[in-house]
PDB file of all heavy atoms in Angstrom:
ATOM      1  N   VAL A 263       5.297 -20.902   0.850  1.00  0.00           N
ATOM      2  CA  VAL A 263       4.329 -21.680   1.629  1.00  0.00           C
ATOM      3  C   VAL A 263       4.940 -22.986   1.951  1.00  0.00           C
ATOM      4  O   VAL A 263       5.112 -23.825   1.061  1.00  0.00           O
ATOM      5  CB  VAL A 263       3.055 -21.825   0.878  1.00  0.00           C
ATOM      6  CG1 VAL A 263       1.959 -22.475   1.732  1.00  0.00           C
ATOM      7  CG2 VAL A 263       2.519 -20.403   0.380  1.00  0.00           C
ATOM      8  N   PHE A 267       1.273 -26.004   5.536  1.00  0.00           N
ATOM      9  CA  PHE A 267       0.676 -24.750   5.871  1.00  0.00           C
ATOM     10  C   PHE A 267      -0.683 -24.655   5.173  1.00  0.00           C
ATOM     11  O   PHE A 267      -0.846 -24.961   3.963  1.00  0.00           O
ATOM     12  CB  PHE A 267       1.515 -23.508   5.456  1.00  0.00           C
ATOM     13  CG  PHE A 267       0.927 -22.227   5.869  1.00  0.00           C
ATOM     14  CD1 PHE A 267       1.182 -21.698   7.089  1.00  0.00           C
ATOM     15  CD2 PHE A 267       0.067 -21.538   5.030  1.00  0.00           C
ATOM     16  CE1 PHE A 267       0.661 -20.495   7.507  1.00  0.00           C
ATOM     17  CE2 PHE A 267      -0.498 -20.240   5.382  1.00  0.00           C
ATOM     18  CZ  PHE A 267      -0.188 -19.825   6.634  1.00  0.00           C
ATOM     19  N   ASP A 268      -1.733 -24.254   5.922  1.00  0.00           N
ATOM     20  CA  ASP A 268      -3.114 -24.068   5.410  1.00  0.00           C
ATOM     21  C   ASP A 268      -3.576 -22.701   6.046  1.00  0.00           C
ATOM     22  O   ASP A 268      -3.687 -22.544   7.226  1.00  0.00           O
ATOM     23  CB  ASP A 268      -4.024 -25.185   5.794  1.00  0.00           C
ATOM     24  CG  ASP A 268      -5.455 -25.055   5.388  1.00  0.00           C
ATOM     25  OD1 ASP A 268      -5.839 -24.005   4.968  1.00  0.00           O
ATOM     26  OD2 ASP A 268      -6.156 -26.061   5.541  1.00  0.00           O
ATOM     27  N   VAL A 269      -3.715 -21.712   5.122  1.00  0.00           N
ATOM     28  CA  VAL A 269      -4.178 -20.396   5.495  1.00  0.00           C
ATOM     29  C   VAL A 269      -5.589 -20.413   6.125  1.00  0.00           C
ATOM     30  O   VAL A 269      -6.016 -19.534   6.898  1.00  0.00           O
ATOM     31  CB  VAL A 269      -4.066 -19.396   4.428  1.00  0.00           C
ATOM     32  CG1 VAL A 269      -5.091 -19.514   3.375  1.00  0.00           C
ATOM     33  CG2 VAL A 269      -4.033 -17.942   4.957  1.00  0.00           C
ATOM     34  N   VAL A 283       0.927 -18.600  -8.848  1.00  0.00           N
ATOM     35  CA  VAL A 283       1.884 -19.683  -8.374  1.00  0.00           C
ATOM     36  C   VAL A 283       3.141 -19.625  -9.224  1.00  0.00           C
ATOM     37  O   VAL A 283       3.106 -19.700 -10.438  1.00  0.00           O
ATOM     38  CB  VAL A 283       1.208 -21.099  -8.470  1.00  0.00           C
ATOM     39  CG1 VAL A 283       2.177 -22.127  -7.928  1.00  0.00           C
ATOM     40  CG2 VAL A 283      -0.045 -21.015  -7.587  1.00  0.00           C
ATOM     41  N   GLY A 286       6.178 -24.963  -7.268  1.00  0.00           N
ATOM     42  CA  GLY A 286       5.521 -25.822  -6.365  1.00  0.00           C
ATOM     43  C   GLY A 286       3.999 -25.943  -6.706  1.00  0.00           C
ATOM     44  O   GLY A 286       3.546 -25.617  -7.767  1.00  0.00           O
ATOM     45  N   GLU A 287       3.258 -26.563  -5.776  1.00  0.00           N
ATOM     46  CA  GLU A 287       1.827 -26.790  -5.946  1.00  0.00           C
ATOM     47  C   GLU A 287       1.063 -26.342  -4.710  1.00  0.00           C
ATOM     48  O   GLU A 287       1.506 -26.606  -3.577  1.00  0.00           O
ATOM     49  CB  GLU A 287       1.562 -28.259  -6.242  1.00  0.00           C
ATOM     50  CG  GLU A 287       2.140 -28.645  -7.500  1.00  0.00           C
ATOM     51  CD  GLU A 287       1.909 -30.194  -7.782  1.00  0.00           C
ATOM     52  OE1 GLU A 287       1.394 -30.952  -6.844  1.00  0.00           O
ATOM     53  OE2 GLU A 287       2.172 -30.706  -8.871  1.00  0.00           O
ATOM     54  N   LEU A 288      -0.088 -25.691  -4.896  1.00  0.00           N
ATOM     55  CA  LEU A 288      -0.959 -25.359  -3.794  1.00  0.00           C
ATOM     56  C   LEU A 288      -2.381 -25.749  -4.082  1.00  0.00           C
ATOM     57  O   LEU A 288      -2.862 -25.633  -5.268  1.00  0.00           O
ATOM     58  CB  LEU A 288      -0.955 -23.822  -3.630  1.00  0.00           C
ATOM     59  CG  LEU A 288       0.312 -23.186  -3.244  1.00  0.00           C
ATOM     60  CD1 LEU A 288       0.285 -21.669  -3.222  1.00  0.00           C
ATOM     61  CD2 LEU A 288       0.645 -23.630  -1.769  1.00  0.00           C
ATOM     62  N   ASP A 289      -3.080 -26.283  -3.088  1.00  0.00           N
ATOM     63  CA  ASP A 289      -4.521 -26.493  -3.239  1.00  0.00           C
ATOM     64  C   ASP A 289      -5.158 -25.156  -2.956  1.00  0.00           C
ATOM     65  O   ASP A 289      -4.827 -24.525  -1.929  1.00  0.00           O
ATOM     66  CB  ASP A 289      -5.087 -27.532  -2.220  1.00  0.00           C
ATOM     67  CG  ASP A 289      -4.556 -28.922  -2.602  1.00  0.00           C
ATOM     68  OD1 ASP A 289      -4.024 -29.080  -3.753  1.00  0.00           O
ATOM     69  OD2 ASP A 289      -4.742 -29.797  -1.799  1.00  0.00           O
ATOM     70  N   ILE A 290      -6.168 -24.776  -3.837  1.00  0.00           N
ATOM     71  CA  ILE A 290      -6.752 -23.443  -3.811  1.00  0.00           C
ATOM     72  C   ILE A 290      -8.223 -23.513  -3.995  1.00  0.00           C
ATOM     73  O   ILE A 290      -8.732 -24.369  -4.672  1.00  0.00           O
ATOM     74  CB  ILE A 290      -6.154 -22.542  -4.920  1.00  0.00           C
ATOM     75  CG1 ILE A 290      -4.711 -22.438  -4.915  1.00  0.00           C
ATOM     76  CG2 ILE A 290      -6.872 -21.192  -5.041  1.00  0.00           C
ATOM     77  CD1 ILE A 290      -4.022 -21.171  -4.625  1.00  0.00           C
ATOM     78  N   LEU A 291      -8.912 -22.593  -3.331  1.00  0.00           N
ATOM     79  CA  LEU A 291     -10.321 -22.441  -3.572  1.00  0.00           C
ATOM     80  C   LEU A 291     -10.677 -20.919  -3.594  1.00  0.00           C
ATOM     81  O   LEU A 291     -10.000 -20.109  -2.904  1.00  0.00           O
ATOM     82  CB  LEU A 291     -11.306 -23.118  -2.615  1.00  0.00           C
ATOM     83  CG  LEU A 291     -11.766 -22.365  -1.388  1.00  0.00           C
ATOM     84  CD1 LEU A 291     -13.137 -21.833  -1.747  1.00  0.00           C
ATOM     85  CD2 LEU A 291     -11.881 -23.260  -0.201  1.00  0.00           C
ATOM     86  N   ALA A 292     -11.634 -20.467  -4.399  1.00  0.00           N
ATOM     87  CA  ALA A 292     -12.040 -19.103  -4.517  1.00  0.00           C
ATOM     88  C   ALA A 292     -13.482 -19.063  -5.042  1.00  0.00           C
ATOM     89  O   ALA A 292     -13.770 -18.859  -6.200  1.00  0.00           O
ATOM     90  CB  ALA A 292     -11.112 -18.324  -5.456  1.00  0.00           C
ATOM     91  N   TRP A 303     -12.015 -26.838   4.477  1.00  0.00           N
ATOM     92  CA  TRP A 303     -12.616 -26.376   3.163  1.00  0.00           C
ATOM     93  C   TRP A 303     -12.350 -27.305   2.026  1.00  0.00           C
ATOM     94  O   TRP A 303     -12.861 -27.074   0.904  1.00  0.00           O
ATOM     95  CB  TRP A 303     -12.059 -25.017   2.921  1.00  0.00           C
ATOM     96  CG  TRP A 303     -10.497 -24.882   2.878  1.00  0.00           C
ATOM     97  CD1 TRP A 303      -9.751 -24.494   3.993  1.00  0.00           C
ATOM     98  CD2 TRP A 303      -9.713 -25.085   1.861  1.00  0.00           C
ATOM     99  NE1 TRP A 303      -8.487 -24.537   3.671  1.00  0.00           N
ATOM    100  CE2 TRP A 303      -8.362 -24.854   2.371  1.00  0.00           C
ATOM    101  CE3 TRP A 303      -9.749 -25.447   0.523  1.00  0.00           C
ATOM    102  CZ2 TRP A 303      -7.208 -24.929   1.551  1.00  0.00           C
ATOM    103  CZ3 TRP A 303      -8.664 -25.526  -0.338  1.00  0.00           C
ATOM    104  CH2 TRP A 303      -7.386 -25.218   0.201  1.00  0.00           C
ATOM    105  N   ARG A 304     -11.560 -28.360   2.200  1.00  0.00           N
ATOM    106  CA  ARG A 304     -11.148 -29.275   1.116  1.00  0.00           C
ATOM    107  C   ARG A 304     -12.343 -29.841   0.244  1.00  0.00           C
ATOM    108  O   ARG A 304     -12.094 -30.018  -0.914  1.00  0.00           O
ATOM    109  CB  ARG A 304     -10.242 -30.402   1.549  1.00  0.00           C
ATOM    110  CG  ARG A 304      -8.847 -29.948   1.911  1.00  0.00           C
ATOM    111  CD  ARG A 304      -7.972 -31.119   2.232  1.00  0.00           C
ATOM    112  NE  ARG A 304      -8.327 -31.511   3.615  1.00  0.00           N
ATOM    113  CZ  ARG A 304      -7.516 -32.395   4.286  1.00  0.00           C
ATOM    114  NH1 ARG A 304      -6.509 -32.939   3.736  1.00  0.00           N
ATOM    115  NH2 ARG A 304      -7.884 -32.708   5.481  1.00  0.00           N
ATOM    116  N   GLY A 313     -14.875 -27.186  -7.365  1.00  0.00           N
ATOM    117  CA  GLY A 313     -14.295 -27.590  -6.116  1.00  0.00           C
ATOM    118  C   GLY A 313     -12.870 -27.069  -5.987  1.00  0.00           C
ATOM    119  O   GLY A 313     -12.443 -26.219  -6.786  1.00  0.00           O
ATOM    120  N   THR A 314     -12.130 -27.491  -5.078  1.00  0.00           N
ATOM    121  CA  THR A 314     -10.727 -26.985  -4.905  1.00  0.00           C
ATOM    122  C   THR A 314      -9.936 -27.450  -6.145  1.00  0.00           C
ATOM    123  O   THR A 314     -10.242 -28.461  -6.785  1.00  0.00           O
ATOM    124  CB  THR A 314     -10.094 -27.582  -3.622  1.00  0.00           C
ATOM    125  OG1 THR A 314     -10.081 -29.023  -3.592  1.00  0.00           O
ATOM    126  CG2 THR A 314     -10.809 -27.163  -2.394  1.00  0.00           C
ATOM    127  N   VAL A 315      -8.867 -26.678  -6.378  1.00  0.00           N
ATOM    128  CA  VAL A 315      -7.975 -26.940  -7.540  1.00  0.00           C
ATOM    129  C   VAL A 315      -6.521 -27.088  -7.126  1.00  0.00           C
ATOM    130  O   VAL A 315      -6.153 -26.403  -6.142  1.00  0.00           O
ATOM    131  CB  VAL A 315      -8.107 -25.733  -8.509  1.00  0.00           C
ATOM    132  CG1 VAL A 315      -7.118 -25.812  -9.608  1.00  0.00           C
ATOM    133  CG2 VAL A 315      -9.432 -25.607  -9.028  1.00  0.00           C
ATOM    134  N   ARG A 316      -5.774 -27.969  -7.686  1.00  0.00           N
ATOM    135  CA  ARG A 316      -4.388 -28.073  -7.472  1.00  0.00           C
ATOM    136  C   ARG A 316      -3.737 -27.031  -8.454  1.00  0.00           C
ATOM    137  O   ARG A 316      -3.615 -27.317  -9.586  1.00  0.00           O
ATOM    138  CB  ARG A 316      -3.887 -29.508  -7.705  1.00  0.00           C
ATOM    139  CG  ARG A 316      -2.405 -29.729  -7.524  1.00  0.00           C
ATOM    140  CD  ARG A 316      -1.775 -29.463  -6.190  1.00  0.00           C
ATOM    141  NE  ARG A 316      -2.362 -30.139  -5.047  1.00  0.00           N
ATOM    142  CZ  ARG A 316      -1.759 -31.255  -4.483  1.00  0.00           C
ATOM    143  NH1 ARG A 316      -0.681 -31.760  -4.976  1.00  0.00           N
ATOM    144  NH2 ARG A 316      -2.304 -31.750  -3.429  1.00  0.00           N
ATOM    145  N   ALA A 317      -3.260 -25.976  -7.894  1.00  0.00           N
ATOM    146  CA  ALA A 317      -2.610 -24.948  -8.670  1.00  0.00           C
ATOM    147  C   ALA A 317      -1.134 -25.220  -8.818  1.00  0.00           C
ATOM    148  O   ALA A 317      -0.433 -25.516  -7.857  1.00  0.00           O
ATOM    149  CB  ALA A 317      -2.826 -23.599  -7.938  1.00  0.00           C
ATOM    150  N   THR A 318      -0.695 -25.123 -10.112  1.00  0.00           N
ATOM    151  CA  THR A 318       0.699 -25.367 -10.437  1.00  0.00           C
ATOM    152  C   THR A 318       1.375 -24.120 -10.965  1.00  0.00           C
ATOM    153  O   THR A 318       0.651 -23.089 -11.203  1.00  0.00           O
ATOM    154  CB  THR A 318       0.833 -26.563 -11.450  1.00  0.00           C
ATOM    155  OG1 THR A 318       0.017 -26.237 -12.589  1.00  0.00           O
ATOM    156  CG2 THR A 318       0.287 -27.850 -10.874  1.00  0.00           C
ATOM    157  N   ILE A 323      -4.985 -16.778  -9.652  1.00  0.00           N
ATOM    158  CA  ILE A 323      -6.300 -16.773  -9.003  1.00  0.00           C
ATOM    159  C   ILE A 323      -6.651 -15.358  -8.620  1.00  0.00           C
ATOM    160  O   ILE A 323      -5.711 -14.632  -7.981  1.00  0.00           O
ATOM    161  CB  ILE A 323      -6.267 -17.620  -7.722  1.00  0.00           C
ATOM    162  CG1 ILE A 323      -5.898 -19.088  -8.007  1.00  0.00           C
ATOM    163  CG2 ILE A 323      -7.638 -17.607  -7.022  1.00  0.00           C
ATOM    164  CD1 ILE A 323      -4.404 -19.399  -7.897  1.00  0.00           C
ATOM    165  N   HIS A 331     -11.986 -17.767   0.169  1.00  0.00           N
ATOM    166  CA  HIS A 331     -10.877 -18.362  -0.594  1.00  0.00           C
ATOM    167  C   HIS A 331      -9.879 -18.959   0.495  1.00  0.00           C
ATOM    168  O   HIS A 331      -9.944 -18.584   1.640  1.00  0.00           O
ATOM    169  CB  HIS A 331     -10.173 -17.229  -1.373  1.00  0.00           C
ATOM    170  CG  HIS A 331      -9.733 -16.032  -0.677  1.00  0.00           C
ATOM    171  ND1 HIS A 331     -10.661 -15.092  -0.132  1.00  0.00           N
ATOM    172  CD2 HIS A 331      -8.530 -15.554  -0.289  1.00  0.00           C
ATOM    173  CE1 HIS A 331      -9.979 -14.174   0.412  1.00  0.00           C
ATOM    174  NE2 HIS A 331      -8.660 -14.440   0.406  1.00  0.00           N
ATOM    175  N   ALA A 332      -8.982 -19.790  -0.062  1.00  0.00           N
ATOM    176  CA  ALA A 332      -8.021 -20.461   0.878  1.00  0.00           C
ATOM    177  C   ALA A 332      -6.969 -21.026  -0.027  1.00  0.00           C
ATOM    178  O   ALA A 332      -7.077 -21.246  -1.225  1.00  0.00           O
ATOM    179  CB  ALA A 332      -8.677 -21.571   1.592  1.00  0.00           C
ATOM    180  N   PHE A 333      -5.761 -21.281   0.592  1.00  0.00           N
ATOM    181  CA  PHE A 333      -4.761 -22.063  -0.079  1.00  0.00           C
ATOM    182  C   PHE A 333      -3.958 -22.833   0.970  1.00  0.00           C
ATOM    183  O   PHE A 333      -3.957 -22.515   2.134  1.00  0.00           O
ATOM    184  CB  PHE A 333      -3.747 -21.139  -0.875  1.00  0.00           C
ATOM    185  CG  PHE A 333      -2.974 -20.222   0.012  1.00  0.00           C
ATOM    186  CD1 PHE A 333      -1.784 -20.532   0.685  1.00  0.00           C
ATOM    187  CD2 PHE A 333      -3.427 -18.888   0.180  1.00  0.00           C
ATOM    188  CE1 PHE A 333      -1.094 -19.611   1.411  1.00  0.00           C
ATOM    189  CE2 PHE A 333      -2.715 -17.946   0.948  1.00  0.00           C
ATOM    190  CZ  PHE A 333      -1.600 -18.293   1.565  1.00  0.00           C
ATOM    191  N   ALA A 334      -3.458 -24.009   0.560  1.00  0.00           N
ATOM    192  CA  ALA A 334      -2.735 -24.875   1.449  1.00  0.00           C
ATOM    193  C   ALA A 334      -1.701 -25.625   0.715  1.00  0.00           C
ATOM    194  O   ALA A 334      -1.862 -25.994  -0.486  1.00  0.00           O
ATOM    195  CB  ALA A 334      -3.711 -25.915   2.051  1.00  0.00           C
ATOM    196  N   ASN A 335      -0.588 -25.907   1.246  1.00  0.00           N
ATOM    197  CA  ASN A 335       0.405 -26.730   0.685  1.00  0.00           C
ATOM    198  C   ASN A 335       0.334 -28.129   1.288  1.00  0.00           C
ATOM    199  O   ASN A 335       0.806 -28.345   2.362  1.00  0.00           O
ATOM    200  CB  ASN A 335       1.831 -26.130   0.909  1.00  0.00           C
ATOM    201  CG  ASN A 335       2.963 -26.935   0.130  1.00  0.00           C
ATOM    202  OD1 ASN A 335       2.714 -28.020  -0.308  1.00  0.00           O
ATOM    203  ND2 ASN A 335       4.128 -26.306   0.150  1.00  0.00           N
ATOM    204  N   ARG A 336      -0.203 -29.037   0.502  1.00  0.00           N
ATOM    205  CA  ARG A 336      -0.378 -30.405   0.987  1.00  0.00           C
ATOM    206  C   ARG A 336       0.620 -31.347   0.367  1.00  0.00           C
ATOM    207  O   ARG A 336       0.491 -32.546   0.248  1.00  0.00           O
ATOM    208  CB  ARG A 336      -1.796 -30.836   0.657  1.00  0.00           C
ATOM    209  CG  ARG A 336      -2.839 -30.114   1.499  1.00  0.00           C
ATOM    210  CD  ARG A 336      -4.259 -30.640   1.384  1.00  0.00           C
ATOM    211  NE  ARG A 336      -5.114 -30.106   2.340  1.00  0.00           N
ATOM    212  CZ  ARG A 336      -5.743 -28.964   2.220  1.00  0.00           C
ATOM    213  NH1 ARG A 336      -5.661 -28.215   1.265  1.00  0.00           N
ATOM    214  NH2 ARG A 336      -6.592 -28.566   3.227  1.00  0.00           N
ATOM    215  N   THR A 337       1.779 -30.758  -0.093  1.00  0.00           N
ATOM    216  CA  THR A 337       2.893 -31.513  -0.716  1.00  0.00           C
ATOM    217  C   THR A 337       3.981 -31.563   0.373  1.00  0.00           C
ATOM    218  O   THR A 337       3.922 -30.947   1.406  1.00  0.00           O
ATOM    219  CB  THR A 337       3.372 -30.977  -1.998  1.00  0.00           C
ATOM    220  OG1 THR A 337       4.120 -29.748  -1.757  1.00  0.00           O
ATOM    221  CG2 THR A 337       2.265 -30.677  -2.965  1.00  0.00           C
ATOM    222  N   ALA A 341       6.198 -24.295  -1.679  1.00  0.00           N
ATOM    223  CA  ALA A 341       5.680 -23.676  -2.842  1.00  0.00           C
ATOM    224  C   ALA A 341       5.927 -22.174  -2.725  1.00  0.00           C
ATOM    225  O   ALA A 341       6.064 -21.652  -1.651  1.00  0.00           O
ATOM    226  CB  ALA A 341       4.150 -23.862  -2.948  1.00  0.00           C
TER     227      ALA A 341
END
Side-chain angles (χ1 to χ4, degrees):
V263 183
F267 185 86
D268 179 344
V269 73
V283 178
E287 298 180 349
L288 294 170
D289 288 350
I290 303 246
L291 94 94
W303 53 269
R304 284 186 282 192
T314 59
V315 172
R316 176 61 58 100
T318 57
I323 302 95
H331 56 287
F333 63 85
N335 184 347
R336 293 188 166 86
T337 73

